């Protein structure tokens, strides 16, 4: 049966979990009112993202030029070579010596994470997963752990809800002429790209600061009369995207809990027969899944769960406690005694 349908019925978080646990390779196509995004998966992990609205290769070159990594002349030469040879743009930049693999990987990883963060705000749309071979670039290939991406996405959904109605990634800011406030180094890093043309998403890409933090800093600078929102003309307003609303993810916590408990049941049978180092790996995966469950509860209910009951691969209850505004999850490790050197955080 093909994996396709409506995001109203099966949320992005559910889809990512399914593709991760089944170690799928292929392309997930997401079609919404504002954009069409293609996510590339290799064995369950995310290795690429393409947006119809924001061309990834053009943005990669623009960011590297703005950051002073490559010159405009080098960029143009790379574009021409990419057109003639059909290779990936990042690979051309590296092979020509214009940028290092690490510099290209940093920008690509940031772009994928930003694209995914915005997908979590979609309230409706269609999805389709197409199994196919996804070639990996050995030099600049990027592979993001889907569970980590999911946890970060849920965190950002919760954080963006605090800014609802005040700003979104398409908000454009411009500087005020008569500002006496002295920005902090962090604020100055963001201000360097506020020019009345770059929206929040562009400022985030160019500065290397995630879009939520960029929004927080710019709103703070707006309160200090350093920047202001740019007023769109009538033509721009006509085509402007409607305000984004944060979507709660119905049933996700229960879905993740079922998967977690199923994984634990299997682990009890498997790890009784295998060496202890494999149990360490399983314990790490278990703790990660439990943290994901706690974060999901925070998104759905506004608070972390009062308790989480689970048993680690050595048969000892996992330690969970609320602490301040967060929580702590630990395993007592192979010796089963909390507070010793082999505890797993």
């Amino acid at each position: 049966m093909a994996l396709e349908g409506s995001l109203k019925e099966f949320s992005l978080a559910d889809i990512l979990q399914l593709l991760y646990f089944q170690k799928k390779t292929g392309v997930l196509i997401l079609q919404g009112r504002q954009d069409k995004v293609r996510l590339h998966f290799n064995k369950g992990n995310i290795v690429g993202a393409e947006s119809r609205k924001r061309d990834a290769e053009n943005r990669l070159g623009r960011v590297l030029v703005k950051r002073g990594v490559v010159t405009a002349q080098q960029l143009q030469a790379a574009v021409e070579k990419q057109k003639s040879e059909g290779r990936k743009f990042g690979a051309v930049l590296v092979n020509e010596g214009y940028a290092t693999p690490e510099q290209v990987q940093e920008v690509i990883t940031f772009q994928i994470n930003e694209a995914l963060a915005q997908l979590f705000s979609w309230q409706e749309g269609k999805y389709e997963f197409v199994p196919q071979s996804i070639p990996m670039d050995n030099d600049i290939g990027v592979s993001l752990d889907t569970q980590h991406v999911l946890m970060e996405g849920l965190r950002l959904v919760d954080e963006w809800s605090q800014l609802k109605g005040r700003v979104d990634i398409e908000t454009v800011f411009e500087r005020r002429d008569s500002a006496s406030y002295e920005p902090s180094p962090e604020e100055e890093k963001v201000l360097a790209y506020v020019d009345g043309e770059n929206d929040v998403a562009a400022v985030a890409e160019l500065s290397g600061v995630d879009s939520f933090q960029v929004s927080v800093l710019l709103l703070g600078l707006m309160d200090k009369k350093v920047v202001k929102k740019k007023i769109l003309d009538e033509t721009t307003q006509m085509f402007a995207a409607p305000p984004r609303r944060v979507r709660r993810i119905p049933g996700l916590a229960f879905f993740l809990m079922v998967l977690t408990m199923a994984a634990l049941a299997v682990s009890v049978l498997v790890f009784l027969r295998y060496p202890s180092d494999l149990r360490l790996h399983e314990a790490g995966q278990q703790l990660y899944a439990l943290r994901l469950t706690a974060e999901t509860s925070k998104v759905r209910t506004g608070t972390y769960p009062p308790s989480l009951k689970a048993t680690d691969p050595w048969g000892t209850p996992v330690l969970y406690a609320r602490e301040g505004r967060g929580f702590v999850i630990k395993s007592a490790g192979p010796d089963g005694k909390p507070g010793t050197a082999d505890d797993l955080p």
Side-chain angles (χ1 to χ4, degrees), residues 150 154 248-249 251-254 256 291-304:
L150 178 53
L154 294 173
R248 295 294 184 188
I249 305 173
L252 176 60
F254 176 76
L256 296 181
R291 292 189 186 98
L292 187 58
T293 299
E295 293 290 351
T296 302
S297 176
K298 178 66 160 54
V299 172
R300 295 183 66 245
T301 68
T303 184
Y304 292 113

Side-chain angles (χ1 to χ4, degrees), residues 233-251:
D233 58 35
E234 292 183 359
T235 302
T236 306
Q237 289 178 350
M238 184 181 300
F239 294 98
R244 298 171 182 263
R245 292 184 294 171
V246 176
R247 176 187 179 188
R248 295 294 184 188
I249 305 173

Side-chain angles (χ1 to χ4, degrees), residues 2 25 40 43 82 84 98 102 105 123 127 140 146 164 214 244 290 296 311 314:
T25 296
H40 296 197
K43 297 180 180 179
Q82 192 267 343
S84 63
Y98 299 151
E102 293 74 20
Q105 286 173 336
Q123 291 185 292
Y127 69 86
I140 60 169
T146 301
K164 185 178 179 181
V214 166
R244 298 171 182 263
L290 289 172
T296 302
T311 302
W314 299 277

